[in-house]
């Protein structure tokens, strides 16, 4: 029986991964901060305008980011939602489904009591 293993990264590969992971962490922090800032901005402007509406939730802005990111991943235009590749879209959706099935459903099956 042949098993495949992950090779040990070289010092250069480790350096590259550290640089990439630092940039990824900074990017995700900026996105989270932008979502929070947009939520605060809307709440402030709605209040200052004297409007009787509930401010927009963070969830709304998260969905805006998710939709634009999904369309861009698929090669489409996030402003018009046109031009995306449906095969890539299917792969992205399957990836999301795999996250649910692998990490969330299996975890809740072990932590939920009948």
């Amino acid at each position: 029986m042949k098993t495949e293993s992950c090779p040990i990264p070289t010092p250069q590969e480790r350096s590259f991964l550290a640089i990439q992971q630092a940039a990824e962490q900074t990017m995700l922090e900026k996105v989270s901060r932008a979502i929070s800032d947009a939520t605060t901005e809307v709440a402030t402007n709605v209040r200052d305008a004297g409007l009787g509406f509930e401010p927009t939730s963070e969830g709304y802005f998260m969905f805006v980011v998710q939709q634009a990111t999904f369309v861009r991943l698929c090669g489409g235009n996030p402003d018009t939602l046109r031009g995306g590749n449906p095969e890539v879209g299917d792969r992205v959706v399957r990836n999301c489904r795999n996250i649910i099935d692998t990490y969330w459903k299996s975890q809740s099956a072990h932590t939920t009591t009948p």
Side-chain angles (χ1 to χ4, degrees):
M1 179 169 117
K2 182 179 178 183
T3 60
E4 294 183 31
S5 63
C6 295
I8 297 172
T10 67
Q12 283 185 323
E13 290 169 332
R14 282 194 302 273
S15 292
F16 173 83
L17 289 173
I19 291 166
Q20 181 176 298
Q21 289 169 346
E24 179 181 317
Q25 185 62 38
T26 299
M27 176 197 66
L28 292 172
E29 289 168 1
K30 287 178 180 180
V31 170
S32 286
R33 196 166 36 254
I35 290 168
S36 181
D37 290 350
T39 305
T40 300
E41 179 182 339
V42 169
T44 300
N45 291 343
V46 166
R47 184 189 66 239
D48 290 351
L51 301 174
F53 296 103
E54 285 292 315
T56 308
S57 70
E58 279 195 358
Y60 170 82
F61 290 108
M62 284 187 260
F63 279 114
V64 169
V65 170
Q66 182 269 332
Q67 179 173 297
T69 302
F70 175 78
V71 173
R72 287 184 68 191
L73 277 168
C74 299
N77 180 331
D79 295 325
T80 64
L81 303 180
R82 296 188 186 278
N85 183 325
E87 288 81 22
V88 173
D90 283 338
R91 287 195 300 268
V92 172
V93 170
R94 276 195 309 275
N95 181 61
C96 294
R97 173 55 56 199
N98 288 335
I99 291 170
I100 292 167
D101 293 344
T102 301
Y103 295 100
W104 301 343
K105 283 187 177 178
S106 65
Q107 188 177 51
S108 65
H110 298 294
T111 59
T112 307
T113 56

